[in-house]
Amino acid sequence: MTHFIPFFIFLNILSIGSSKSDEDYPIYLRGMNWSKVEEHLQEDLTLSDAIFPTKYVIDLSVNARGYGGAEKSTFNGSVVIYTNFKRATNFIELHSRGLTIQKAIITCYQIECTPISVVNITTNKSRESIAIFVNRKIIANEEMILEIHYNGTADLSEYGLHEIWNPDPIEPRFVLAANNFPTGARFWFPCFDKTRQFAQFKLQIEHSTELNVFSNMK
């Protein structure tokens, strides 16, 4: 039972909420902006359930620090997302954190479809998302293909696509790994990073000949 006590205490601290002064908190929590916790808990950070992804096709070009002359670990990529729409909307919000979005293209893959195009892309850091606005309303039951081009940097954060230092005594080196659970996928490709939205994935990686790539899927 003692294993669960810290978590229980933490939940009780979060439930205080009503106090606005640091003096109302234990000394070890003062100066950490805990008075803002209740404010953040009131904000709905979930994505709309109007959009359902069915397939991702990811093409990623990776530079790993120390290989092929790379001084830092970076990646350039594109992701093609096949989506179904349950309700009408004039924009698409999906998760993205720390990525630079270069461009987005949207097309319809139904036989009869009114032409559609992207008119604007915005970033919301607090929601860890981007919003892609289109030139017309997408109606319920339409099926769209969203293509997004982007780039990013991998570091030692241990989240998303990140660096791991391998202290091999003969040849110490950096290794790149992806940690997607529970919300790490958004760090290395724009996506609907929700645990209950299952989709098919196809992944292709371009890399230095000095590197090998391993995956837990085909």
mmCIF file with all atom_site columns, all heavy atoms in Angstrom, residues 10 13-14 21-23 25-37 40:
data_model
loop_
_atom_site.group_PDB
_atom_site.id
_atom_site.type_symbol
_atom_site.label_atom_id
_atom_site.label_alt_id
_atom_site.label_comp_id
_atom_site.label_asym_id
_atom_site.label_entity_id
_atom_site.label_seq_id
_atom_site.pdbx_PDB_ins_code
_atom_site.Cartn_x
_atom_site.Cartn_y
_atom_site.Cartn_z
_atom_site.occupancy
_atom_site.B_iso_or_equiv
_atom_site.pdbx_formal_charge
_atom_site.auth_seq_id
_atom_site.auth_comp_id
_atom_site.auth_asym_id
_atom_site.auth_atom_id
_atom_site.pdbx_PDB_model_num
ATOM 1   N N   . PHE A 1 10 ? -0.410 13.523 -4.026  1.00 0.00 ? 10 PHE A N   1
ATOM 2   C CA  . PHE A 1 10 ? -0.359 14.435 -5.172  1.00 0.00 ? 10 PHE A CA  1
ATOM 3   C C   . PHE A 1 10 ? -1.761 14.824 -5.614  1.00 0.00 ? 10 PHE A C   1
ATOM 4   O O   . PHE A 1 10 ? -2.031 15.993 -5.894  1.00 0.00 ? 10 PHE A O   1
ATOM 5   C CB  . PHE A 1 10 ? 0.393  13.755 -6.318  1.00 0.00 ? 10 PHE A CB  1
ATOM 6   C CG  . PHE A 1 10 ? 0.532  14.604 -7.545  1.00 0.00 ? 10 PHE A CG  1
ATOM 7   C CD1 . PHE A 1 10 ? 1.408  15.671 -7.582  1.00 0.00 ? 10 PHE A CD1 1
ATOM 8   C CD2 . PHE A 1 10 ? -0.225 14.322 -8.671  1.00 0.00 ? 10 PHE A CD2 1
ATOM 9   C CE1 . PHE A 1 10 ? 1.528  16.448 -8.710  1.00 0.00 ? 10 PHE A CE1 1
ATOM 10  C CE2 . PHE A 1 10 ? -0.108 15.098 -9.803  1.00 0.00 ? 10 PHE A CE2 1
ATOM 11  C CZ  . PHE A 1 10 ? 0.770  16.161 -9.825  1.00 0.00 ? 10 PHE A CZ  1
ATOM 12  N N   . ILE A 1 13 ? -3.183 17.368 -3.311  1.00 0.00 ? 13 ILE A N   1
ATOM 13  C CA  . ILE A 1 13 ? -2.609 18.699 -3.529  1.00 0.00 ? 13 ILE A CA  1
ATOM 14  C C   . ILE A 1 13 ? -3.310 19.378 -4.688  1.00 0.00 ? 13 ILE A C   1
ATOM 15  O O   . ILE A 1 13 ? -3.655 20.559 -4.644  1.00 0.00 ? 13 ILE A O   1
ATOM 16  C CB  . ILE A 1 13 ? -1.093 18.573 -3.798  1.00 0.00 ? 13 ILE A CB  1
ATOM 17  C CG1 . ILE A 1 13 ? -0.388 18.145 -2.512  1.00 0.00 ? 13 ILE A CG1 1
ATOM 18  C CG2 . ILE A 1 13 ? -0.527 19.894 -4.278  1.00 0.00 ? 13 ILE A CG2 1
ATOM 19  C CD1 . ILE A 1 13 ? 1.060  17.744 -2.722  1.00 0.00 ? 13 ILE A CD1 1
ATOM 20  N N   . LEU A 1 14 ? -3.547 18.639 -5.771  1.00 0.00 ? 14 LEU A N   1
ATOM 21  C CA  . LEU A 1 14 ? -4.222 19.209 -6.929  1.00 0.00 ? 14 LEU A CA  1
ATOM 22  C C   . LEU A 1 14 ? -5.639 19.640 -6.584  1.00 0.00 ? 14 LEU A C   1
ATOM 23  O O   . LEU A 1 14 ? -6.178 20.568 -7.177  1.00 0.00 ? 14 LEU A O   1
ATOM 24  C CB  . LEU A 1 14 ? -4.272 18.189 -8.069  1.00 0.00 ? 14 LEU A CB  1
ATOM 25  C CG  . LEU A 1 14 ? -2.926 17.805 -8.706  1.00 0.00 ? 14 LEU A CG  1
ATOM 26  C CD1 . LEU A 1 14 ? -3.175 16.907 -9.910  1.00 0.00 ? 14 LEU A CD1 1
ATOM 27  C CD2 . LEU A 1 14 ? -2.146 19.030 -9.134  1.00 0.00 ? 14 LEU A CD2 1
ATOM 28  N N   . SER A 1 21 ? -2.557 31.893 -3.026  1.00 0.00 ? 21 SER A N   1
ATOM 29  C CA  . SER A 1 21 ? -1.296 32.364 -2.479  1.00 0.00 ? 21 SER A CA  1
ATOM 30  C C   . SER A 1 21 ? -0.353 31.193 -2.254  1.00 0.00 ? 21 SER A C   1
ATOM 31  O O   . SER A 1 21 ? -0.765 30.113 -1.841  1.00 0.00 ? 21 SER A O   1
ATOM 32  C CB  . SER A 1 21 ? -1.538 33.103 -1.159  1.00 0.00 ? 21 SER A CB  1
ATOM 33  O OG  . SER A 1 21 ? -0.308 33.388 -0.529  1.00 0.00 ? 21 SER A OG  1
ATOM 34  N N   . ASP A 1 22 ? 0.944  31.431 -2.504  1.00 0.00 ? 22 ASP A N   1
ATOM 35  C CA  . ASP A 1 22 ? 1.941  30.394 -2.277  1.00 0.00 ? 22 ASP A CA  1
ATOM 36  C C   . ASP A 1 22 ? 2.001  29.972 -0.813  1.00 0.00 ? 22 ASP A C   1
ATOM 37  O O   . ASP A 1 22 ? 2.346  28.836 -0.504  1.00 0.00 ? 22 ASP A O   1
ATOM 38  C CB  . ASP A 1 22 ? 3.319  30.900 -2.719  1.00 0.00 ? 22 ASP A CB  1
ATOM 39  C CG  . ASP A 1 22 ? 3.754  30.286 -4.041  1.00 0.00 ? 22 ASP A CG  1
ATOM 40  O OD1 . ASP A 1 22 ? 2.914  29.630 -4.687  1.00 0.00 ? 22 ASP A OD1 1
ATOM 41  O OD2 . ASP A 1 22 ? 4.921  30.479 -4.425  1.00 0.00 ? 22 ASP A OD2 1
ATOM 42  N N   . GLU A 1 23 ? 1.655  30.889 0.087   1.00 0.00 ? 23 GLU A N   1
ATOM 43  C CA  . GLU A 1 23 ? 1.725  30.577 1.518   1.00 0.00 ? 23 GLU A CA  1
ATOM 44  C C   . GLU A 1 23 ? 0.728  29.489 1.930   1.00 0.00 ? 23 GLU A C   1
ATOM 45  O O   . GLU A 1 23 ? 0.868  28.891 2.996   1.00 0.00 ? 23 GLU A O   1
ATOM 46  C CB  . GLU A 1 23 ? 1.480  31.837 2.355   1.00 0.00 ? 23 GLU A CB  1
ATOM 47  C CG  . GLU A 1 23 ? 2.662  32.811 2.389   1.00 0.00 ? 23 GLU A CG  1
ATOM 48  C CD  . GLU A 1 23 ? 2.895  33.510 1.060   1.00 0.00 ? 23 GLU A CD  1
ATOM 49  O OE1 . GLU A 1 23 ? 1.910  33.645 0.283   1.00 0.00 ? 23 GLU A OE1 1
ATOM 50  O OE2 . GLU A 1 23 ? 4.040  33.911 0.786   1.00 0.00 ? 23 GLU A OE2 1
ATOM 51  N N   . TYR A 1 25 ? 0.391  26.722 0.403   1.00 0.00 ? 25 TYR A N   1
ATOM 52  C CA  . TYR A 1 25 ? 0.923  25.429 0.009   1.00 0.00 ? 25 TYR A CA  1
ATOM 53  C C   . TYR A 1 25 ? 2.075  25.026 0.917   1.00 0.00 ? 25 TYR A C   1
ATOM 54  O O   . TYR A 1 25 ? 2.709  25.879 1.557   1.00 0.00 ? 25 TYR A O   1
ATOM 55  C CB  . TYR A 1 25 ? 1.411  25.468 -1.443  1.00 0.00 ? 25 TYR A CB  1
ATOM 56  C CG  . TYR A 1 25 ? 0.309  25.652 -2.447  1.00 0.00 ? 25 TYR A CG  1
ATOM 57  C CD1 . TYR A 1 25 ? -0.043 26.928 -2.887  1.00 0.00 ? 25 TYR A CD1 1
ATOM 58  C CD2 . TYR A 1 25 ? -0.395 24.565 -2.947  1.00 0.00 ? 25 TYR A CD2 1
ATOM 59  C CE1 . TYR A 1 25 ? -1.069 27.097 -3.805  1.00 0.00 ? 25 TYR A CE1 1
ATOM 60  C CE2 . TYR A 1 25 ? -1.419 24.734 -3.857  1.00 0.00 ? 25 TYR A CE2 1
ATOM 61  C CZ  . TYR A 1 25 ? -1.752 25.999 -4.277  1.00 0.00 ? 25 TYR A CZ  1
ATOM 62  O OH  . TYR A 1 25 ? -2.764 26.171 -5.181  1.00 0.00 ? 25 TYR A OH  1
ATOM 63  N N   . PRO A 1 26 ? 2.390  23.727 0.983   1.00 0.00 ? 26 PRO A N   1
ATOM 64  C CA  . PRO A 1 26 ? 3.573  23.309 1.739   1.00 0.00 ? 26 PRO A CA  1
ATOM 65  C C   . PRO A 1 26 ? 4.824  23.997 1.209   1.00 0.00 ? 26 PRO A C   1
ATOM 66  O O   . PRO A 1 26 ? 4.902  24.360 0.030   1.00 0.00 ? 26 PRO A O   1
ATOM 67  C CB  . PRO A 1 26 ? 3.631  21.792 1.481   1.00 0.00 ? 26 PRO A CB  1
ATOM 68  C CG  . PRO A 1 26 ? 2.233  21.414 1.104   1.00 0.00 ? 26 PRO A CG  1
ATOM 69  C CD  . PRO A 1 26 ? 1.671  22.598 0.380   1.00 0.00 ? 26 PRO A CD  1
ATOM 70  N N   . ILE A 1 27 ? 5.812  24.157 2.064   1.00 0.00 ? 27 ILE A N   1
ATOM 71  C CA  . ILE A 1 27 ? 7.024  24.890 1.697   1.00 0.00 ? 27 ILE A CA  1
ATOM 72  C C   . ILE A 1 27 ? 7.668  24.327 0.438   1.00 0.00 ? 27 ILE A C   1
ATOM 73  O O   . ILE A 1 27 ? 8.138  25.066 -0.429  1.00 0.00 ? 27 ILE A O   1
ATOM 74  C CB  . ILE A 1 27 ? 8.034  24.871 2.867   1.00 0.00 ? 27 ILE A CB  1
ATOM 75  C CG1 . ILE A 1 27 ? 7.475  25.664 4.051   1.00 0.00 ? 27 ILE A CG1 1
ATOM 76  C CG2 . ILE A 1 27 ? 9.386  25.429 2.449   1.00 0.00 ? 27 ILE A CG2 1
ATOM 77  C CD1 . ILE A 1 27 ? 8.339  25.595 5.297   1.00 0.00 ? 27 ILE A CD1 1
ATOM 78  N N   . TYR A 1 28 ? 7.673  22.987 0.311   1.00 0.00 ? 28 TYR A N   1
ATOM 79  C CA  . TYR A 1 28 ? 8.367  22.373 -0.830  1.00 0.00 ? 28 TYR A CA  1
ATOM 80  C C   . TYR A 1 28 ? 7.638  22.578 -2.160  1.00 0.00 ? 28 TYR A C   1
ATOM 81  O O   . TYR A 1 28 ? 8.156  22.215 -3.213  1.00 0.00 ? 28 TYR A O   1
ATOM 82  C CB  . TYR A 1 28 ? 8.582  20.874 -0.579  1.00 0.00 ? 28 TYR A CB  1
ATOM 83  C CG  . TYR A 1 28 ? 7.328  20.087 -0.265  1.00 0.00 ? 28 TYR A CG  1
ATOM 84  C CD1 . TYR A 1 28 ? 6.536  19.573 -1.279  1.00 0.00 ? 28 TYR A CD1 1
ATOM 85  C CD2 . TYR A 1 28 ? 6.942  19.867 1.048   1.00 0.00 ? 28 TYR A CD2 1
ATOM 86  C CE1 . TYR A 1 28 ? 5.385  18.863 -0.987  1.00 0.00 ? 28 TYR A CE1 1
ATOM 87  C CE2 . TYR A 1 28 ? 5.798  19.156 1.351   1.00 0.00 ? 28 TYR A CE2 1
ATOM 88  C CZ  . TYR A 1 28 ? 5.023  18.651 0.328   1.00 0.00 ? 28 TYR A CZ  1
ATOM 89  O OH  . TYR A 1 28 ? 3.881  17.949 0.618   1.00 0.00 ? 28 TYR A OH  1
ATOM 90  N N   . LEU A 1 29 ? 6.414  23.153 -2.133  1.00 0.00 ? 29 LEU A N   1
ATOM 91  C CA  . LEU A 1 29 ? 5.684  23.413 -3.376  1.00 0.00 ? 29 LEU A CA  1
ATOM 92  C C   . LEU A 1 29 ? 5.631  24.893 -3.726  1.00 0.00 ? 29 LEU A C   1
ATOM 93  O O   . LEU A 1 29 ? 5.146  25.257 -4.784  1.00 0.00 ? 29 LEU A O   1
ATOM 94  C CB  . LEU A 1 29 ? 4.250  22.865 -3.270  1.00 0.00 ? 29 LEU A CB  1
ATOM 95  C CG  . LEU A 1 29 ? 4.105  21.352 -3.302  1.00 0.00 ? 29 LEU A CG  1
ATOM 96  C CD1 . LEU A 1 29 ? 2.636  20.959 -3.174  1.00 0.00 ? 29 LEU A CD1 1
ATOM 97  C CD2 . LEU A 1 29 ? 4.681  20.774 -4.582  1.00 0.00 ? 29 LEU A CD2 1
ATOM 98  N N   . ARG A 1 30 ? 6.120  25.738 -2.844  1.00 0.00 ? 30 ARG A N   1
ATOM 99  C CA  . ARG A 1 30 ? 6.037  27.173 -3.100  1.00 0.00 ? 30 ARG A CA  1
ATOM 100 C C   . ARG A 1 30 ? 6.994  27.586 -4.209  1.00 0.00 ? 30 ARG A C   1
ATOM 101 O O   . ARG A 1 30 ? 8.065  27.019 -4.357  1.00 0.00 ? 30 ARG A O   1
ATOM 102 C CB  . ARG A 1 30 ? 6.336  27.953 -1.803  1.00 0.00 ? 30 ARG A CB  1
ATOM 103 C CG  . ARG A 1 30 ? 5.286  27.706 -0.730  1.00 0.00 ? 30 ARG A CG  1
ATOM 104 C CD  . ARG A 1 30 ? 5.631  28.387 0.578   1.00 0.00 ? 30 ARG A CD  1
ATOM 105 N NE  . ARG A 1 30 ? 4.697  27.971 1.625   1.00 0.00 ? 30 ARG A NE  1
ATOM 106 C CZ  . ARG A 1 30 ? 4.801  28.322 2.895   1.00 0.00 ? 30 ARG A CZ  1
ATOM 107 N NH1 . ARG A 1 30 ? 5.796  29.092 3.284   1.00 0.00 ? 30 ARG A NH1 1
ATOM 108 N NH2 . ARG A 1 30 ? 3.899  27.895 3.779   1.00 0.00 ? 30 ARG A NH2 1
ATOM 109 N N   . GLY A 1 31 ? 6.584  28.594 -4.969  1.00 0.00 ? 31 GLY A N   1
ATOM 110 C CA  . GLY A 1 31 ? 7.394  29.076 -6.076  1.00 0.00 ? 31 GLY A CA  1
ATOM 111 C C   . GLY A 1 31 ? 7.298  28.231 -7.325  1.00 0.00 ? 31 GLY A C   1
ATOM 112 O O   . GLY A 1 31 ? 8.044  28.430 -8.276  1.00 0.00 ? 31 GLY A O   1
ATOM 113 N N   . MET A 1 32 ? 6.374  27.258 -7.367  1.00 0.00 ? 32 MET A N   1
ATOM 114 C CA  . MET A 1 32 ? 6.235  26.354 -8.510  1.00 0.00 ? 32 MET A CA  1
ATOM 115 C C   . MET A 1 32 ? 4.942  26.584 -9.290  1.00 0.00 ? 32 MET A C   1
ATOM 116 O O   . MET A 1 32 ? 4.526  25.758 -10.091 1.00 0.00 ? 32 MET A O   1
ATOM 117 C CB  . MET A 1 32 ? 6.301  24.898 -8.036  1.00 0.00 ? 32 MET A CB  1
ATOM 118 C CG  . MET A 1 32 ? 7.618  24.541 -7.370  1.00 0.00 ? 32 MET A CG  1
ATOM 119 S SD  . MET A 1 32 ? 7.624  22.875 -6.673  1.00 0.00 ? 32 MET A SD  1
ATOM 120 C CE  . MET A 1 32 ? 7.457  21.881 -8.153  1.00 0.00 ? 32 MET A CE  1
ATOM 121 N N   . ASN A 1 33 ? 4.269  27.716 -9.021  1.00 0.00 ? 33 ASN A N   1
ATOM 122 C CA  . ASN A 1 33 ? 3.033  28.078 -9.731  1.00 0.00 ? 33 ASN A CA  1
ATOM 123 C C   . ASN A 1 33 ? 1.919  27.059 -9.558  1.00 0.00 ? 33 ASN A C   1
ATOM 124 O O   . ASN A 1 33 ? 1.097  26.850 -10.449 1.00 0.00 ? 33 ASN A O   1
ATOM 125 C CB  . ASN A 1 33 ? 3.307  28.286 -11.229 1.00 0.00 ? 33 ASN A CB  1
ATOM 126 C CG  . ASN A 1 33 ? 4.122  29.537 -11.486 1.00 0.00 ? 33 ASN A CG  1
ATOM 127 O OD1 . ASN A 1 33 ? 3.932  30.551 -10.815 1.00 0.00 ? 33 ASN A OD1 1
ATOM 128 N ND2 . ASN A 1 33 ? 5.023  29.469 -12.439 1.00 0.00 ? 33 ASN A ND2 1
ATOM 129 N N   . TRP A 1 34 ? 1.860  26.413 -8.390  1.00 0.00 ? 34 TRP A N   1
ATOM 130 C CA  . TRP A 1 34 ? 0.794  25.438 -8.156  1.00 0.00 ? 34 TRP A CA  1
ATOM 131 C C   . TRP A 1 34 ? -0.576 26.102 -8.095  1.00 0.00 ? 34 TRP A C   1
ATOM 132 O O   . TRP A 1 34 ? -1.590 25.445 -8.281  1.00 0.00 ? 34 TRP A O   1
ATOM 133 C CB  . TRP A 1 34 ? 1.068  24.666 -6.861  1.00 0.00 ? 34 TRP A CB  1
ATOM 134 C CG  . TRP A 1 34 ? 2.066  23.577 -7.074  1.00 0.00 ? 34 TRP A CG  1
ATOM 135 C CD1 . TRP A 1 34 ? 3.406  23.635 -6.823  1.00 0.00 ? 34 TRP A CD1 1
ATOM 136 C CD2 . TRP A 1 34 ? 1.828  22.289 -7.629  1.00 0.00 ? 34 TRP A CD2 1
ATOM 137 N NE1 . TRP A 1 34 ? 4.013  22.453 -7.179  1.00 0.00 ? 34 TRP A NE1 1
ATOM 138 C CE2 . TRP A 1 34 ? 3.075  21.610 -7.664  1.00 0.00 ? 34 TRP A CE2 1
ATOM 139 C CE3 . TRP A 1 34 ? 0.690  21.623 -8.081  1.00 0.00 ? 34 TRP A CE3 1
ATOM 140 C CZ2 . TRP A 1 34 ? 3.207  20.312 -8.143  1.00 0.00 ? 34 TRP A CZ2 1
ATOM 141 C CZ3 . TRP A 1 34 ? 0.832  20.328 -8.552  1.00 0.00 ? 34 TRP A CZ3 1
ATOM 142 C CH2 . TRP A 1 34 ? 2.069  19.690 -8.585  1.00 0.00 ? 34 TRP A CH2 1
ATOM 143 N N   . SER A 1 35 ? -0.601 27.423 -7.841  1.00 0.00 ? 35 SER A N   1
ATOM 144 C CA  . SER A 1 35 ? -1.884 28.119 -7.795  1.00 0.00 ? 35 SER A CA  1
ATOM 145 C C   . SER A 1 35 ? -2.562 28.138 -9.156  1.00 0.00 ? 35 SER A C   1
ATOM 146 O O   . SER A 1 35 ? -3.755 28.402 -9.277  1.00 0.00 ? 35 SER A O   1
ATOM 147 C CB  . SER A 1 35 ? -1.693 29.555 -7.297  1.00 0.00 ? 35 SER A CB  1
ATOM 148 O OG  . SER A 1 35 ? -0.795 30.257 -8.137  1.00 0.00 ? 35 SER A OG  1
ATOM 149 N N   . LYS A 1 36 ? -1.801 27.840 -10.225 1.00 0.00 ? 36 LYS A N   1
ATOM 150 C CA  . LYS A 1 36 ? -2.362 27.839 -11.571 1.00 0.00 ? 36 LYS A CA  1
ATOM 151 C C   . LYS A 1 36 ? -2.867 26.464 -12.007 1.00 0.00 ? 36 LYS A C   1
ATOM 152 O O   . LYS A 1 36 ? -3.404 26.299 -13.087 1.00 0.00 ? 36 LYS A O   1
ATOM 153 C CB  . LYS A 1 36 ? -1.317 28.342 -12.576 1.00 0.00 ? 36 LYS A CB  1
ATOM 154 C CG  . LYS A 1 36 ? -0.907 29.800 -12.367 1.00 0.00 ? 36 LYS A CG  1
ATOM 155 C CD  . LYS A 1 36 ? 0.029  30.251 -13.473 1.00 0.00 ? 36 LYS A CD  1
ATOM 156 C CE  . LYS A 1 36 ? 0.417  31.702 -13.278 1.00 0.00 ? 36 LYS A CE  1
ATOM 157 N NZ  . LYS A 1 36 ? -0.755 32.588 -13.453 1.00 0.00 ? 36 LYS A NZ  1
ATOM 158 N N   . VAL A 1 37 ? -2.666 25.457 -11.159 1.00 0.00 ? 37 VAL A N   1
ATOM 159 C CA  . VAL A 1 37 ? -3.051 24.094 -11.528 1.00 0.00 ? 37 VAL A CA  1
ATOM 160 C C   . VAL A 1 37 ? -4.540 23.996 -11.826 1.00 0.00 ? 37 VAL A C   1
ATOM 161 O O   . VAL A 1 37 ? -4.955 23.425 -12.843 1.00 0.00 ? 37 VAL A O   1
ATOM 162 C CB  . VAL A 1 37 ? -2.658 23.104 -10.412 1.00 0.00 ? 37 VAL A CB  1
ATOM 163 C CG1 . VAL A 1 37 ? -3.301 21.742 -10.658 1.00 0.00 ? 37 VAL A CG1 1
ATOM 164 C CG2 . VAL A 1 37 ? -1.148 22.943 -10.358 1.00 0.00 ? 37 VAL A CG2 1
ATOM 165 N N   . HIS A 1 40 ? -5.458 25.368 -15.214 1.00 0.00 ? 40 HIS A N   1
ATOM 166 C CA  . HIS A 1 40 ? -5.108 24.488 -16.328 1.00 0.00 ? 40 HIS A CA  1
ATOM 167 C C   . HIS A 1 40 ? -6.019 23.269 -16.396 1.00 0.00 ? 40 HIS A C   1
ATOM 168 O O   . HIS A 1 40 ? -6.329 22.773 -17.483 1.00 0.00 ? 40 HIS A O   1
ATOM 169 C CB  . HIS A 1 40 ? -3.655 24.047 -16.207 1.00 0.00 ? 40 HIS A CB  1
ATOM 170 C CG  . HIS A 1 40 ? -2.672 25.143 -16.447 1.00 0.00 ? 40 HIS A CG  1
ATOM 171 N ND1 . HIS A 1 40 ? -2.615 25.857 -17.626 1.00 0.00 ? 40 HIS A ND1 1
ATOM 172 C CD2 . HIS A 1 40 ? -1.705 25.669 -15.654 1.00 0.00 ? 40 HIS A CD2 1
ATOM 173 C CE1 . HIS A 1 40 ? -1.657 26.758 -17.567 1.00 0.00 ? 40 HIS A CE1 1
ATOM 174 N NE2 . HIS A 1 40 ? -1.090 26.670 -16.371 1.00 0.00 ? 40 HIS A NE2 1
#
